[in-house]
Amino acid sequence: MLYVVLFFTVFSFFLYVLLGGADFGAGILELFSSKENKKLIKKTVYSVMGPVWEANHIWIIILIVILWIAFPAYYNILVVYLHIPLTLVLLGITLRGVAFVFRHYDAVKDKSQLLYDKMFEFSCLVTPIFLGMTFGALLSGNIKTMENNPNGDFVTFFIAPWFDAFPIVIGLFFAALCVFLAATFLIGEVDQQNRKLYIRKAIIATYAVVFFGLVVLVVGYAGNHAFVVDFLNNYNAIGLVFLSAILLFPLWYSIRKGEHILCRFFAGLQVLLIISAALLAHYPDIIITDSGSISLLDNVAPDKVIEVLGISLLIGGFLILPGLFHLLKSFKMIKILDEDH
């Protein structure tokens, strides 16, 4: 049953990066667009995200609950030593949600709409950056535990682990990945005339993802971070990255041709390969501290708890996944069964 829990852990993480990341990327697209293009993107984002934007955050809730119940040691380090960036993530998600609602449903249309627009755009930018920085801090080796560093201060324990070059570039990489997902997914949501905008932005975002991915490796290797060193010595991880690089060519072809089904398939596959490569490089030692690696499987909850959690996740999966598919299909978010146009 432990493997069932691990599957849902990775599955929830993957879906949140894919769906939640696309939501954040839409706001970043809007932020870095001209005034004329902002109107088109805003209209498109509202029609696409309006019915489902809350549903996409169910996956991070499931992920947090799984970590809390099944992997308490991992959860403890995450919420204790990285509570500041996680709090900023929570604040960003909240502000983004408030802005998204008020800029569309506010009874009074005045200059406050400009405030809501900026609030939405900037919260969509900073939230994935802090999410990426949190993940980067776990892999950086910068975390110093209180048990091994009795003389440490507040900055040592709670600031230095995430406010460093390696976590920052991972945050920028994740933000670029969000923009790539949003632009690619939105290609199929507009008519032929306006599709060129998203095609152009998807191509630029792809270059940005590749660039920041290389920057992550360079900064990590230069800083002698154990994760990057082990990543470069792991043939499975390197193989997945190599496969991802090869698939960039059919991805670019489908983007340039505006084939929205293939775009979404290859975009999702890229995310899956990136996540798989990152996890394989150091699994199960996902957390790397200054005193060594900490396994995700250290101090796992008792077998009975894992069994109940696994059964609950299986039942919930059978209930949630068909309902989510129906929701997305009802609002034409899933077009795999439709003809490409």
Side-chain angles (χ1 to χ4, degrees):
M1 198 58 71
L2 178 61
Y3 291 104
V4 173
V5 175
L6 287 172
F7 169 79
F8 275 96
T9 304
V10 177
F11 184 65
S12 300
F13 180 58
F14 167 69
L15 284 184
Y16 186 69
V17 171
L18 191 67
L19 301 176
D23 283 358
F24 291 127
I28 302 174
L29 274 178
E30 185 179 319
L31 176 62
F32 294 103
S33 294
S34 64
K35 186 175 181 180
E36 181 179 351
N37 290 337
K38 279 180 184 289
K39 294 180 180 179
L40 172 63
I41 294 175
K42 182 177 179 179
K43 181 179 178 180
T44 308
V45 167
Y46 173 65
S47 63
V48 174
M49 287 174 51
V52 297
W53 69 277
E54 289 179 292
N56 291 337
H57 287 287
I58 189 176
W59 302 112
I60 195 172
I61 296 173
I62 293 174
L63 176 61
I64 291 173
V65 170
I66 292 175
L67 294 177
W68 175 41
I69 296 175
F71 311 108
Y74 187 97
Y75 178 83
N76 179 67
I77 290 180
L78 187 64
V79 299
V80 170
Y81 296 101
L82 299 175
H83 70 279
I84 294 178
L86 287 176
T87 301
L88 294 173
V89 167
L90 180 60
L91 180 61
I93 292 175
T94 303
L95 291 177
R96 171 184 167 276
V98 170
F100 184 81
V101 171
F102 276 98
R103 74 176 190 161
H104 291 296
Y105 299 111
D106 195 358
V108 179
K109 303 295 183 182
D110 53 20
K111 291 184 178 181
S112 63
Q113 298 298 312
L114 298 176
L115 173 62
Y116 299 141
D117 285 343
K118 294 302 178 184
M119 186 187 300
F120 175 77
E121 294 166 1
F122 280 100
S123 60
C124 283
L125 174 63
V126 300
T127 303
I129 290 178
F130 281 119
L131 275 170
M133 291 173 68
T134 301
F135 184 71
L138 294 175
L139 306 173
S140 66
N142 295 337
I143 295 178
K144 293 179 172 57
T145 58
M146 297 180 184
E147 293 81 3
N148 296 326
N149 298 275
N151 298 322
D153 55 13
F154 182 86
V155 173
T156 300
F157 292 131
F158 306 119
I159 303 294
W162 57 273
F163 198 68
D164 189 58
F166 184 64
I168 289 174
V169 294
I170 290 184
L172 295 175
F173 170 78
F174 184 51
L177 184 63
C178 292
V179 178
F180 159 73
L181 289 171
T184 305
F185 287 177
L186 291 175
I187 288 175
E189 300 297 335
V190 293
D191 55 34
Q192 190 67 39
Q193 180 180 358
N194 293 319
R195 191 174 297 178
K196 294 179 180 179
L197 168 66
Y198 295 109
I199 291 175
R200 184 175 69 253
K201 289 185 177 295
I203 293 173
I204 295 173
T206 306
Y207 290 134
V209 171
V210 174
F211 171 76
F212 281 113
L214 292 174
V215 171
V216 168
L217 292 179
V218 170
V219 172
Y221 189 78
N224 198 31
H225 291 284
F227 171 77
V228 174
V229 174
D230 293 342
F231 180 90
L232 294 175
N233 292 323
N234 188 301
Y235 294 114
N236 293 325
I238 293 298
L240 290 175
V241 172
F242 183 71
L243 178 59
S244 174
I246 293 176
L247 292 177
L248 284 175
F249 295 101
L251 170 64
W252 282 329
Y253 176 82
S254 61
I255 289 175
R256 291 181 185 277
K257 293 295 184 180
E259 298 179 359
H260 66 270
I261 293 176
L262 286 177
C263 284
R264 295 177 182 184
F265 171 76
F266 283 118
L269 188 57
Q270 287 287 335
V271 172
L272 180 61
L273 290 172
I274 292 171
I275 291 175
S276 299
L279 293 179
L280 281 176
H282 229 269
Y283 179 82
D285 300 331
I286 306 299
I287 297 179
I288 305 174
T289 69
D290 66 322
S291 57
S293 301
I294 298 177
S295 173
L296 178 67
L297 303 180
D298 284 346
N299 299 318
V300 177
D303 292 342
K304 192 64 177 178
V305 174
I306 295 296
E307 180 180 352
V308 173
L309 178 60
I311 294 173
S312 301
L313 289 170
L314 288 173
I315 296 173
F318 282 118
L319 294 175
I320 293 174
L321 292 176
L324 179 64
F325 181 88
H326 178 69
L327 174 66
L328 297 177
K329 183 63 179 174
S330 299
F331 289 99
K332 300 186 182 299
M333 288 288 294
I334 296 179
K335 300 185 178 182
I336 295 177
L337 302 180
D338 300 338
E339 293 185 1
D340 212 348
H341 58 278

XYZ file of all heavy atoms in Angstrom, residues 183-247:
509
model
N 1.081 29.238 -22.363
C 1.067 29.625 -23.768
C 0.729 28.443 -24.662
O -0.042 28.568 -25.630
C 2.419 30.218 -24.155
N 1.274 27.274 -24.339
C 1.025 26.083 -25.148
C -0.426 25.628 -25.035
O -1.066 25.296 -26.040
C 1.966 24.942 -24.722
O 3.321 25.396 -24.782
C 1.801 23.744 -25.637
N -0.963 25.628 -23.822
C -2.342 25.193 -23.629
C -3.343 26.152 -24.269
O -4.410 25.740 -24.721
C -2.654 25.072 -22.133
C -2.013 23.873 -21.483
C -2.153 23.653 -20.119
C -1.262 22.964 -22.216
C -1.561 22.550 -19.518
C -0.666 21.871 -21.625
C -0.820 21.656 -20.267
N -3.008 27.442 -24.291
C -3.944 28.439 -24.804
C -3.971 28.521 -26.325
O -4.834 29.207 -26.888
C -3.616 29.817 -24.219
C -3.889 29.984 -22.721
C -3.404 31.354 -22.242
C -5.375 29.820 -22.413
N -3.057 27.831 -26.986
C -3.051 27.857 -28.454
C -4.385 27.371 -29.013
O -4.893 27.913 -30.001
C -1.880 26.997 -29.002
C -0.552 27.703 -28.739
C -2.046 26.728 -30.500
C 0.666 26.881 -29.128
N -4.954 26.369 -28.385
C -6.212 25.807 -28.877
C -7.456 26.492 -28.361
O -8.569 26.001 -28.605
N -7.309 27.622 -27.662
C -8.467 28.295 -27.064
C -8.882 29.559 -27.795
O -9.790 30.248 -27.350
C -8.158 28.634 -25.599
C -7.841 27.432 -24.731
C -9.010 26.470 -24.603
O -10.167 26.915 -24.767
O -8.760 25.278 -24.374
N -8.197 29.873 -28.889
C -8.521 31.096 -29.637
C -8.660 30.761 -31.112
O -8.318 29.664 -31.560
C -7.424 32.174 -29.445
C -7.404 32.681 -28.016
C -6.049 31.621 -29.814
N -9.163 31.736 -31.872
C -9.328 31.520 -33.299
C -7.976 31.593 -34.015
O -6.945 31.915 -33.423
C -10.317 32.526 -33.899
C -9.911 33.975 -33.610
O -8.690 34.255 -33.559
O -10.804 34.817 -33.436
N -8.012 31.286 -35.303
C -6.778 31.200 -36.081
C -6.003 32.508 -36.091
O -4.770 32.522 -36.048
C -7.114 30.788 -37.520
C -5.909 30.441 -38.371
C -5.209 29.179 -37.900
O -5.853 28.216 -37.498
N -3.886 29.192 -37.938
N -6.712 33.624 -36.124
C -6.063 34.938 -36.208
C -5.268 35.244 -34.935
O -4.137 35.736 -35.004
C -7.100 36.028 -36.461
C -6.499 37.424 -36.565
C -7.570 38.477 -36.821
O -8.751 38.171 -36.952
N -7.148 39.730 -36.898
N -5.858 34.967 -33.780
C -5.208 35.291 -32.513
C -4.258 34.194 -32.038
O -3.507 34.392 -31.083
C -6.266 35.537 -31.436
C -7.071 36.798 -31.713
O -6.515 37.809 -32.118
N -8.384 36.723 -31.508
N -4.304 33.046 -32.695
C -3.468 31.925 -32.278
C -1.981 32.233 -32.432
O -1.142 31.719 -31.692
C -3.841 30.687 -33.086
C -3.226 29.401 -32.578
C -3.752 28.204 -33.324
N -5.182 28.041 -33.130
C -5.903 27.088 -33.716
N -5.326 26.241 -34.532
N -7.194 26.994 -33.478
N -1.648 33.105 -33.378
C -0.242 33.426 -33.629
C 0.427 34.033 -32.393
O 1.627 33.842 -32.174
C -0.125 34.389 -34.807
C -0.567 33.785 -36.142
C -0.439 34.806 -37.265
C -0.884 34.201 -38.596
N -0.792 35.199 -39.706
N -0.355 34.773 -31.598
C 0.198 35.381 -30.384
C 0.708 34.306 -29.438
O 1.839 34.394 -28.933
C -0.881 36.229 -29.695
C -0.560 36.698 -28.271
C 0.604 37.676 -28.281
C -1.800 37.325 -27.627
N -0.104 33.291 -29.189
C 0.279 32.241 -28.244
C 1.347 31.325 -28.821
O 2.179 30.795 -28.074
C -0.961 31.439 -27.829
C -1.954 32.268 -27.060
C -3.165 32.643 -27.627
C -1.667 32.708 -25.773
C -4.079 33.421 -26.930
C -2.567 33.476 -25.062
C -3.773 33.834 -25.646
O -4.667 34.614 -24.955
N 1.339 31.130 -30.128
C 2.391 30.342 -30.762
C 3.745 31.014 -30.554
O 4.737 30.373 -30.183
C 2.104 30.154 -32.267
C 0.886 29.235 -32.463
C 3.317 29.587 -32.990
C 0.458 29.077 -33.903
N 3.773 32.336 -30.785
C 5.020 33.091 -30.607
C 5.489 33.036 -29.154
O 6.674 32.810 -28.876
C 4.815 34.537 -31.049
C 6.101 35.378 -30.999
C 5.890 36.768 -31.559
N 5.038 37.583 -30.705
C 3.788 37.911 -31.001
N 3.234 37.480 -32.116
N 3.069 38.663 -30.177
N 4.556 33.222 -28.227
C 4.929 33.228 -26.813
C 5.321 31.829 -26.341
O 6.204 31.678 -25.482
C 3.774 33.771 -25.968
C 3.554 35.271 -26.155
C 2.491 35.798 -25.227
C 2.333 37.316 -25.373
N 3.532 38.043 -24.944
N 4.692 30.794 -26.889
C 5.045 29.423 -26.510
C 6.462 29.090 -26.953
O 7.217 28.432 -26.217
C 4.052 28.433 -27.115
N 6.847 29.539 -28.146
C 8.193 29.288 -28.651
C 9.227 30.017 -27.791
O 10.254 29.443 -27.392
C 8.315 29.722 -30.121
C 7.445 28.822 -30.999
C 9.759 29.685 -30.586
C 7.364 29.270 -32.442
N 8.944 31.276 -27.459
C 9.862 32.044 -26.605
C 9.982 31.395 -25.225
O 11.075 31.275 -24.668
C 9.376 33.505 -26.478
C 9.427 34.210 -27.837
C 10.218 34.260 -25.456
C 8.814 35.593 -27.832
N 8.838 30.969 -24.676
C 8.846 30.339 -23.356
C 9.622 29.027 -23.361
O 10.289 28.691 -22.374
C 7.414 30.102 -22.890
N 9.559 28.296 -24.467
C 10.321 27.048 -24.569
C 11.809 27.327 -24.488
O 12.560 26.630 -23.780
C 10.001 26.328 -25.885
O 8.588 26.149 -26.005
C 10.666 24.959 -25.915
N 12.263 28.349 -25.208
C 13.668 28.748 -25.134
C 14.044 29.155 -23.705
O 15.145 28.852 -23.230
C 13.948 29.897 -26.098
C 13.914 29.512 -27.556
C 13.245 30.293 -28.493
C 14.554 28.361 -28.002
C 13.208 29.940 -29.839
C 14.529 28.001 -29.340
C 13.855 28.788 -30.260
O 13.827 28.434 -31.581
N 13.115 29.854 -23.034
C 13.383 30.296 -21.660
C 13.526 29.102 -20.721
O 14.404 29.102 -19.833
C 12.266 31.220 -21.176
N 12.679 28.079 -20.887
C 12.770 26.880 -20.047
C 14.113 26.187 -20.252
O 14.781 25.785 -19.288
C 11.612 25.908 -20.357
C 11.832 24.566 -19.660
C 10.287 26.514 -19.920
N 14.526 26.037 -21.515
C 15.810 25.405 -21.813
C 16.955 26.223 -21.209
O 17.880 25.673 -20.592
C 16.004 25.253 -23.333
C 17.413 24.738 -23.646
C 14.950 24.316 -23.911
N 16.879 27.545 -21.362
C 17.937 28.417 -20.842
C 18.050 28.302 -19.331
O 19.160 28.079 -18.792
C 17.654 29.869 -21.244
C 18.556 30.870 -20.585
C 19.868 31.031 -21.007
C 18.099 31.649 -19.524
C 20.714 31.948 -20.395
C 18.932 32.573 -18.905
C 20.238 32.717 -19.340
N 16.929 28.452 -18.622
C 16.986 28.405 -17.158
C 17.326 26.994 -16.664
O 17.926 26.844 -15.586
C 15.665 28.888 -16.560
C 15.520 30.382 -16.546
C 14.562 31.008 -17.332
C 16.347 31.173 -15.773
C 14.431 32.392 -17.340
C 16.231 32.553 -15.769
C 15.269 33.164 -16.552
N 16.948 25.968 -17.439
C 17.351 24.611 -17.073
C 18.863 24.456 -17.094
O 19.454 23.857 -16.183
N 19.491 25.019 -18.118
C 20.952 24.988 -18.192
C 21.579 25.821 -17.080
O 22.608 25.432 -16.503
C 21.411 25.502 -19.562
C 21.064 24.608 -20.759
C 21.443 25.296 -22.063
C 21.762 23.257 -20.653
N 20.962 26.959 -16.765
C 21.471 27.809 -15.685
C 21.423 27.059 -14.355
O 22.359 27.150 -13.541
C 20.670 29.123 -15.596
C 21.051 29.907 -14.342
C 20.910 29.987 -16.827
N 20.339 26.316 -14.126
C 20.229 25.522 -12.887
C 21.393 24.541 -12.779
O 22.022 24.415 -11.719
C 18.880 24.764 -12.855
C 18.883 23.711 -11.738
C 17.732 25.729 -12.637
N 21.693 23.851 -13.869
C 22.794 22.880 -13.851
C 24.142 23.563 -13.633
O 24.978 23.077 -12.864
C 22.808 22.096 -15.162
C 21.619 21.148 -15.395
C 21.750 20.461 -16.740
C 21.516 20.109 -14.282
N 24.350 24.706 -14.304
C 25.620 25.415 -14.183
C 25.812 25.943 -12.761
O 26.872 25.755 -12.142
C 25.705 26.569 -15.204
C 26.919 27.449 -14.920
C 25.774 26.023 -16.621
N 24.783 26.609 -12.232
C 24.879 27.168 -10.878
C 25.032 26.053 -9.847
O 25.839 26.154 -8.907
C 23.637 28.033 -10.564
C 23.625 28.454 -9.094
C 23.602 29.261 -11.466
N 24.272 24.974 -10.023
C 24.359 23.858 -9.090
C 25.707 23.177 -9.120
O 26.270 22.826 -8.074
N 26.251 23.010 -10.325
C 27.562 22.359 -10.454
C 28.670 23.268 -9.918
O 29.591 22.803 -9.236
C 27.826 22.013 -11.912
C 29.050 21.164 -12.122
C 29.026 19.793 -11.863
C 30.240 21.724 -12.579
C 30.162 19.003 -12.043
C 31.380 20.951 -12.762
C 31.324 19.587 -12.498
O 32.449 18.814 -12.675
N 28.571 24.558 -10.221
C 29.579 25.508 -9.733
C 29.565 25.581 -8.212
O 30.612 25.763 -7.576
C 29.330 26.889 -10.336
N 28.370 25.459 -7.630
C 28.261 25.481 -6.170
C 28.471 24.129 -5.530
O 28.315 23.994 -4.309
N 28.786 23.130 -6.356
C 29.050 21.770 -5.876
C 27.872 21.221 -5.059
O 28.068 20.551 -4.031
C 30.333 21.732 -5.034
C 30.876 20.317 -4.886
O 30.709 19.485 -5.776
N 31.502 20.045 -3.752
N 26.666 21.498 -5.521
C 25.477 20.976 -4.851
C 25.346 19.484 -5.141
O 25.431 19.059 -6.299
C 24.226 21.714 -5.317
C 24.169 23.134 -4.850
N 23.849 23.478 -3.557
C 24.399 24.303 -5.499
C 23.875 24.797 -3.427
N 24.210 25.320 -4.591
N 25.129 18.710 -4.104
C 25.101 17.254 -4.235
C 24.037 16.795 -5.226
O 24.253 15.832 -5.970
C 24.849 16.620 -2.867
N 22.911 17.473 -5.256
C 21.834 17.053 -6.148
C 22.278 17.116 -7.607
O 22.062 16.173 -8.373
C 20.601 17.940 -5.945
C 19.527 17.709 -6.982
C 18.708 16.604 -6.904
C 19.364 18.585 -8.042
C 17.728 16.380 -7.862
C 18.392 18.376 -9.007
C 17.573 17.261 -8.908
N 22.893 18.222 -8.009
C 23.313 18.387 -9.403
C 24.436 17.418 -9.746
O 24.446 16.813 -10.828
C 23.746 19.842 -9.674
C 24.328 19.980 -11.079
C 22.565 20.778 -9.490
N 25.391 17.257 -8.829
C 26.493 16.319 -9.064
C 25.951 14.899 -9.248
O 26.338 14.179 -10.181
C 27.502 16.371 -7.907
C 28.572 15.295 -8.091
C 28.145 17.753 -7.819
N 25.045 14.495 -8.360
C 24.454 13.156 -8.478
C 23.580 13.050 -9.723
O 23.511 11.985 -10.350
C 23.625 12.842 -7.233
C 24.486 12.704 -5.985
O 25.704 12.505 -6.139
O 23.942 12.817 -4.872
N 22.912 14.136 -10.067
C 22.071 14.160 -11.266
C 22.908 13.893 -12.516
O 22.533 13.087 -13.378
C 21.377 15.522 -11.366
C 20.483 15.676 -12.563
C 19.148 15.322 -12.492
C 20.973 16.185 -13.757
C 18.314 15.462 -13.594
C 20.160 16.328 -14.866
C 18.820 15.963 -14.783
N 24.050 14.546 -12.611
C 24.909 14.394 -13.781
C 25.573 13.024 -13.837
O 26.051 12.606 -14.900
C 25.979 15.498 -13.785
C 25.452 16.928 -13.963
C 26.582 17.941 -13.820
C 24.757 17.090 -15.313
N 25.603 12.320 -12.700
C 26.185 10.979 -12.661
C 25.145 9.873 -12.712
O 25.489 8.690 -12.640
C 27.038 10.810 -11.388
C 28.292 11.675 -11.422
O 28.897 11.840 -12.467
N 28.660 12.223 -10.276
N 23.868 10.267 -12.834
C 22.779 9.289 -12.879
C 22.357 9.082 -14.332
O 21.806 9.987 -14.960
C 21.600 9.789 -12.036
C 20.512 8.748 -11.886
O 19.938 8.277 -12.849
N 20.209 8.410 -10.637
N 22.629 7.902 -14.858
C 22.354 7.647 -16.276
C 20.862 7.673 -16.593
O 20.459 8.073 -17.690
C 22.957 6.303 -16.694
C 24.468 6.288 -16.657
C 25.154 5.490 -15.747
C 25.209 7.087 -17.523
C 26.543 5.484 -15.712
C 26.598 7.092 -17.487
C 27.252 6.287 -16.580
O 28.622 6.294 -16.550
N 20.037 7.242 -15.647
C 18.592 7.273 -15.879
C 18.091 8.710 -16.007
O 17.296 9.030 -16.890
C 17.857 6.559 -14.742
C 18.135 5.076 -14.728
O 18.296 4.453 -15.781
N 18.201 4.486 -13.543
N 18.541 9.576 -15.105
C 18.131 10.979 -15.148
C 18.632 11.654 -16.420
O 17.892 12.391 -17.084
C 18.648 11.717 -13.916
N 19.896 11.398 -16.776
C 20.454 11.979 -17.999
C 19.706 11.473 -19.223
O 19.440 12.221 -20.177
C 21.957 11.644 -18.116
C 22.739 12.365 -17.006
C 22.489 12.048 -19.483
C 22.656 13.862 -17.073
N 19.326 10.190 -19.205
C 18.565 9.629 -20.321
C 17.219 10.308 -20.503
O 16.795 10.578 -21.630
N 16.547 10.603 -19.389
C 15.257 11.287 -19.466
C 15.421 12.709 -19.993
O 14.599 13.195 -20.771
C 14.601 11.302 -18.086
C 14.099 9.944 -17.568
C 13.579 10.086 -16.146
C 13.005 9.398 -18.475
N 16.488 13.392 -19.568
C 16.752 14.742 -20.076
C 17.064 14.694 -21.573
O 16.606 15.546 -22.346
C 17.920 15.390 -19.307
C 18.330 16.711 -19.951
C 17.528 15.615 -17.848
N 17.825 13.696 -21.991
C 18.157 13.542 -23.409
C 16.892 13.285 -24.228
O 16.706 13.862 -25.313
C 19.142 12.388 -23.591
C 19.592 12.190 -25.010
C 20.440 13.104 -25.620
C 19.165 11.088 -25.726
C 20.857 12.924 -26.931
C 19.571 10.895 -27.032
C 20.423 11.808 -27.640
N 15.999 12.439 -23.704
C 14.723 12.188 -24.378
C 13.891 13.455 -24.452
O 13.258 13.749 -25.476
C 13.951 11.093 -23.628
C 12.557 10.748 -24.174
C 12.639 10.275 -25.620
C 11.898 9.685 -23.289
N 13.898 14.234 -23.365
C 13.186 15.507 -23.352
C 13.726 16.449 -24.413
O 12.964 17.146 -25.097
C 13.308 16.150 -21.965
O 12.746 17.442 -21.941
N 15.049 16.472 -24.580
C 15.664 17.336 -25.593
C 15.256 16.904 -26.997
O 14.970 17.744 -27.865
C 17.181 17.307 -25.445
N 15.207 15.612 -27.242
C 14.799 15.108 -28.560
C 13.344 15.487 -28.859
O 12.999 15.891 -29.977
C 14.979 13.582 -28.623
C 16.466 13.215 -28.561
C 14.352 13.009 -29.897
C 16.723 11.732 -28.512
N 12.500 15.383 -27.835
C 11.078 15.673 -28.029
C 10.793 17.163 -28.196
O 9.660 17.542 -28.491
C 10.271 15.118 -26.856
C 10.225 13.584 -26.767
C 9.462 13.141 -25.526
C 9.587 12.985 -28.010
